[in-house]
Amino acid sequence: MKMRFSVLMSVYFKESADNLDQALQSLINQSLKPDEIVLVKDGVLTTDLEKVIERFVKLNTSVVVNVISIAQNRGLGNALFVGLNACTHDYVARMDSDDISDFYRFEKQIEFLKEHPHVDVVGCNLSEFDREIGDSMLKKVCPESHEDIIRRIRLRSPLNHPTIMFNRKKVLAAGGYDSETLMFEDYALFLRLWKSGLIFHNIPEILYYMRVDSNLNSIRRRRGSAYLLNEINFLKYAYKIGAFTKRDQLKYGILRFPIRLMPIRVVFLIYKYLLRKKKV
């Protein structure tokens, strides 16, 4: 029996029109095409972004494209909360608006879920790139089994969030996305799913390509006092829901907080040599 699935994506005004166009095209150019694409416009978009969306909807009539507009940008958590509740199929795949999914991504994730019905959330490894796929030698690898994934869940987000496909009803029952943990919406979601008893798995293949610009903007977003305050708020939330103990909070803070205040070039080297792997 066919497992129907939706793709959930959010876009806001700072996104590049070219990046969005490439991301949307990678959803259509799949060995297994989605049954529905839910695209949340998180606040007012630029004219160029609107044109990309309008053209995409017009040219891809074989796929249901549900475009949802939110009047004011309130962050990724809120946009994904709205979008997830609008998805109509049993399984939902996440996708960011500036990345590219591999040709076989959805086929392999759906096949895995068919063969392992006890798994609720499945992700995959990813390769980073700047302008073209392959121009970086860095990849982000996650543990494969549920047990190994959970072993790292108190130190860093356990899966590559934009790569996941999941059981919609179970994720909604666990609370879905929220806007309480700004900048840490994905990590907070994984903690809620874990505490609700959901089972994770990571396919040990690169099926997703994440855009990381050479100007280090993605690194800049993960440092500074504002980011640190959001991280402290996240730790309070993790303790509140029983995912972290006080000892877990302390260990996390000792390891992660200093990075937020280091010079950007130092942070870049930490990400490059300690938190990423070289492709072979």
Side-chain angles (χ1 to χ4, degrees):
M1 186 176 69
K2 177 178 172 59
M3 290 175 63
R4 296 185 177 276
F5 69 99
S6 307
V7 176
L8 174 58
M9 179 188 292
S10 170
V11 61
Y12 79 133
F13 74 99
K14 289 187 178 180
E15 188 57 85
S16 155
D18 288 340
N19 291 352
L20 175 62
D21 186 53
Q22 290 183 43
L24 290 172
Q25 292 305 318
S26 80
L27 298 183
I28 295 300
N29 299 329
Q30 286 281 317
S31 60
L32 179 64
K33 291 180 174 55
D35 300 285
E36 173 187 55
I37 297 172
V38 174
L39 178 60
V40 181
K41 298 193 295 186
D42 191 10
V44 178
L45 302 184
T46 65
T47 301
D48 287 343
L49 287 169
E50 291 285 5
K51 287 180 179 178
V52 168
I53 295 170
E54 182 181 352
R55 182 172 65 250
F56 181 80
V57 172
K58 183 178 180 180
L59 294 178
N60 295 284
T61 56
S62 62
V63 177
V64 175
V65 183
N66 183 7
V67 180
I68 300 171
S69 299
I70 299 177
Q72 184 176 1
N73 178 280
R74 293 175 53 195
L76 182 62
N78 178 69
L80 295 182
F81 173 84
V82 172
L84 181 56
N85 281 277
C87 291
T88 60
H89 296 299
D90 291 337
Y91 288 87
V92 175
R94 270 284 291 119
M95 174 78 180
D96 278 349
S97 59
D98 58 348
D99 297 337
I100 296 174
S101 282
D102 183 82
F103 179 72
Y104 295 105
R105 176 196 167 188
F106 297 149
E107 178 183 348
K108 290 190 175 185
Q109 288 184 311
I110 285 291
E111 285 301 317
F112 181 89
L113 290 169
K114 283 181 178 179
E115 295 171 5
H116 304 84
H118 66 288
V119 172
D120 305 301
V121 184
V122 60
C124 61
N125 295 335
L126 63 81
S127 175
E128 297 180 348
F129 74 104
D130 179 13
R131 297 181 181 277
E132 296 180 358
I133 291 174
D135 64 9
S136 169
M137 294 300 292
L138 298 180
K139 61 182 180 178
K140 192 174 178 185
V141 175
C142 295
E144 183 176 352
S145 70
H146 176 79
E147 293 74 19
D148 288 341
I149 288 169
I150 296 308
R151 286 191 187 100
R152 69 179 262 175
I153 201 168
R154 293 187 180 91
L155 285 179
R156 60 186 302 192
S157 188
L159 292 170
N160 296 317
H161 176 229
T163 76
I164 63 172
M165 182 180 285
F166 54 84
N167 184 307
R168 180 179 62 89
K169 290 181 180 179
K170 289 188 177 182
V171 168
L172 285 173
Y177 290 95
D178 71 7
S179 54
E180 186 175 346
T181 51
L182 187 64
M183 302 295 293
F184 290 84
E185 299 93 345
D186 56 338
Y187 201 165
L189 172 70
F190 291 137
L191 292 181
R192 287 195 298 277
L193 300 185
W194 167 49
K195 296 299 292 184
S196 297
L198 274 66
I199 302 298
F200 303 138
H201 188 87
N202 188 67
I203 297 174
E205 296 181 51
I206 293 174
L207 300 173
Y208 192 90
Y209 304 97
M210 174 177 283
R211 193 181 302 272
V212 180
D213 62 87
S214 57
N215 292 325
L216 305 183
N217 287 328
S218 59
I219 301 296
R220 286 189 177 90
R221 290 194 294 268
R222 290 175 173 83
R223 62 177 300 281
S225 57
Y227 189 90
L228 180 57
L229 289 174
N230 285 324
E231 196 161 28
I232 292 171
N233 179 60
F234 161 73
L235 284 182
K236 292 178 179 178
Y237 177 83
Y239 178 77
K240 183 177 75 172
I241 66 172
F244 280 26
T245 63
K246 289 291 186 182
R247 183 178 180 178
D248 294 328
Q249 287 180 311
L250 179 61
K251 184 177 180 180
Y252 181 102
I254 290 172
L255 293 174
R256 310 285 289 197
F257 286 177
I259 298 175
R260 310 310 177 198
L261 303 177
M262 291 178 181
I264 189 167
R265 290 290 174 182
V266 175
V267 178
F268 170 73
L269 293 175
I270 290 173
Y271 272 83
K272 183 175 181 179
Y273 292 106
L274 297 181
L275 302 180
R276 298 292 186 270
K277 292 186 177 182
K278 288 285 186 72
K279 289 192 289 186
V280 295

